[in-house]
Every structure is written in C-alpha cells, then in structure tokens.
Amino acid sequence: MSGSTVRAAVVQLLADDDTAANIARAGELVQAATLSGAQLVVLPERWNWWGPQDRRREGVEPLDGPSLTAARAWARELGAWVLAGSVLTGDARADRAHNTSVLIAPDGRDIALYRKIHLFDVTVGGHQFRESDFVEPGDARVLGDAAGLRVGMSVCYDLRFPELYRGLVDSGATALAVPAYFTERTGRAHWEVLVRARAIEDQCFVLAAGQCGRHGTPDAAWGHSMIVDPWGRVLAEVPDGQGFACADLDLQAQADIRASLPALSHRRLAGG
C-alpha cells in the first residue's frame, strides 16, 4: 500500500437492547476489519444499543461509559483509528441526551467529538419518529485528522443536508463519515443515491456505515453499508447481514479528480 493510500472499513451491525452483546459483536468486527488491513474503522449509528423508543434511556451512557471505553480499548489494542459510530450520551436521568460520534486515535485518545445536528422527526410508512423528543441537537461542524485523511463527521439524517458537507469540505475534509440507521423504506429509495451524491458533489470519499435488519421494533434498518470514492464509484459494500467491507482510498486519485474537474473552486454562490 502506497503512502497516498489509506485502507478504511465500514462495519454493519444489527444492534439490540443487550449492550454487552452489542459491544462484543462490534469488537469482533472491528478486529476482523483491522486484520484485513483497515487503518480506520467506522461503526454505525447507535451500534451499542437499539430498542423501543419508550426504553431509550437504557441506551444513554456518559462519555466514559462502557461502549466508548470499549472502543478506545480496541483502538489501543489494534493500533487503529476507530470512529465509534454514534452513542446516546449524557445523564440517563435527564430529559434529553446527545447522539454523539467520537473519533478515536490508535493511542485511545478522543480526537474529535460530534453531536448530531439534524434530528429525525418524520413519519415513514405510518410510523412516527420523533428523535427531538429525546435528543438535543448539536450546533457545530466537526472534523478530525485520521490516518492521513481529514474526516468530516456526521450522523444518519445529516446525509440529507448537503450544506453541512460543503462546510466540512470548505474546512478541508477529504473523507466524510456517515454512521447511520436508515429505515428500510427510506433506505431502499434514497440511501445509495444520497451517499453517492455527497461523494460526487464534494469530491470526497464517503464512509457510510449502517445498521441492518429487524430489531424487534417497527423500524427495520436498510443496511447496505458502503464506501464510495470521489468519482461516485462504490468501492465496497455490505449488502446484507452483519459484517464489514474494506476499501483502499487513493488520495492521489482524489487530488487528480479535484484538479481536473475543479468544481469546488468554480462555486459562484458561497455559504452554507
């Protein structure tokens, strides 16, 4: 692997309401991805706990809780960068938590912490989602440097808001991380289209790690975790079930695309 190439992985999980089992399963897949050469591993949204909305408090942890503590240990033991998808963080007794994504260095340090900005308040297939009933939105774009990439951070529903990603690119992003739980209905229609669109318009690699399958709740997850290059090509995908996918991200090829098709410098309407 050349100095201009980074191997990254996305992990796909079917989380449930057993935090310890979810952590163990995620750890096995992170380890498998690093054994395949991944230098950066991205987990999905709320990989550590998923259950009925009326029990969401069970999934809330402090930043030094068991899930992120485990992710830091994996990073240290495996010598890899771990983007710990997202975890509900805060005080379980409080009215609202944050949907928090953490980028962890190989020495176990937190490099960047992002709180999901856009909250999923929608009705899909007759099922109502009200993320804002329990989650406090973040208010800042966040980037972190990892394995030679400048990673712009986001979570799930953020994917529908291109101005967030353009702001990340304006701050130097070369890769965009999208840990997610896309519903089956919206995922079938929009997931790949949106992931590839963000890659093409921002000339970035997109690392989109999703949950999959049915979790004992009405909101089945679409899965189809994928890695997409700045030309919009799907480099790797986990179509079904739990697993991971790896791809080599060629930073020189990205630079060549940005130089030969300099759309980012041709913008006439700035902002966002």
Side-chain angles (χ1 to χ4, degrees), residues 105-122:
D107 62 5
R109 289 180 301 122
D110 294 353
I111 296 300
L113 184 150
Y114 168 73
R115 292 187 168 111
K116 185 178 181 182
I117 292 173
H118 302 99
L119 303 184
F120 194 56
D121 289 357
V122 306

Side-chain angles (χ1 to χ4, degrees), residues 54-118:
D54 60 0
R55 292 174 50 205
R56 286 178 294 196
R57 291 184 191 281
E58 297 176 22
V60 179
E61 299 181 6
L63 287 170
D64 60 355
S67 300
L68 292 175
T69 296
R72 296 179 187 111
W74 303 332
R76 285 193 302 269
E77 293 163 6
L78 300 170
W81 296 84
V82 176
L83 197 150
S86 81
V87 173
L88 290 177
T89 62
D91 184 339
R93 297 166 297 180
D95 290 337
R96 299 169 91 189
H98 284 104
N99 195 342
T100 304
S101 183
V102 181
L103 176 61
I104 302 167
D107 62 5
R109 289 180 301 122
D110 294 353
I111 296 300
L113 184 150
Y114 168 73
R115 292 187 168 111
K116 185 178 181 182
I117 292 173
H118 302 99

Side-chain angles (χ1 to χ4, degrees), residues 3-270:
S4 67
T5 302
V6 177
R7 176 160 287 192
V10 290
V11 168
Q12 183 160 292
L13 287 169
L14 171 59
D16 57 23
D17 58 1
D18 185 338
T19 298
N22 294 331
I23 290 173
R25 192 178 308 119
E28 291 170 358
L29 289 170
V30 170
Q31 181 179 38
T34 60
L35 289 174
S36 294
Q39 299 159 269
L40 168 65
V41 183
V42 180
L43 288 161
E45 181 180 24
R46 291 176 56 187
W47 57 274
N48 66 320
W49 190 93
W50 197 278
Q53 294 192 56
D54 60 0
R55 292 174 50 205
R56 286 178 294 196
R57 291 184 191 281
E58 297 176 22
V60 179
E61 299 181 6
L63 287 170
D64 60 355
S67 300
L68 292 175
T69 296
R72 296 179 187 111
W74 303 332
R76 285 193 302 269
E77 293 163 6
L78 300 170
W81 296 84
V82 176
L83 197 150
S86 81
V87 173
L88 290 177
T89 62
D91 184 339
R93 297 166 297 180
D95 290 337
R96 299 169 91 189
H98 284 104
N99 195 342
T100 304
S101 183
V102 181
L103 176 61
I104 302 167
D107 62 5
R109 289 180 301 122
D110 294 353
I111 296 300
L113 184 150
Y114 168 73
R115 292 187 168 111
K116 185 178 181 182
I117 292 173
H118 302 99
L119 303 184
F120 194 56
D121 289 357
V122 306
T123 300
V124 177
H127 182 63
Q128 187 175 56
F129 298 83
R130 290 284 305 173
E131 189 174 17
S132 66
D133 285 349
F134 191 67
V135 174
E136 183 75 25
D139 59 6
R141 296 187 183 98
V142 176
L143 300 97
D145 294 317
L149 301 168
R150 186 148 176 76
V151 180
M153 298 173 69
S154 66
V155 175
C156 198
Y157 191 49
D158 285 331
L159 187 61
R160 295 184 181 273
F161 300 88
E163 62 273 17
L164 169 63
Y165 298 95
R166 184 49 55 92
L168 292 169
V169 169
D170 287 346
S171 296
T174 55
L176 304 169
V178 190
Y181 183 120
F182 252 57
T183 68
E184 190 173 50
R185 183 179 293 255
T186 61
R188 188 181 303 279
H190 301 150
W191 170 250
E192 181 174 337
V193 174
L194 288 170
V195 172
R196 295 179 69 190
R198 297 295 88 84
I200 294 165
E201 68 195 9
D202 294 311
Q203 297 181 324
C204 277
F205 295 98
V206 178
L207 311 173
Q211 289 216 39
C212 64
R214 297 197 173 274
H215 301 237
T217 61
D219 45 326
W222 176 238
H224 294 270
S225 301
M226 61 181 63
I227 300 173
V228 179
D229 77 1
W231 196 251
R233 292 173 290 225
V234 178
L235 301 179
E237 182 179 4
V238 189
D240 299 301
Q242 301 185 93
F244 70 92
C246 285
D248 294 330
L249 314 185
D250 188 336
L251 301 182
Q252 184 57 56
Q254 178 183 41
D256 293 343
I257 288 169
R258 288 183 169 187
S260 63
L261 201 166
L264 295 174
S265 65
H266 288 165
R267 292 163 59 201
R268 299 293 296 275
L269 299 174

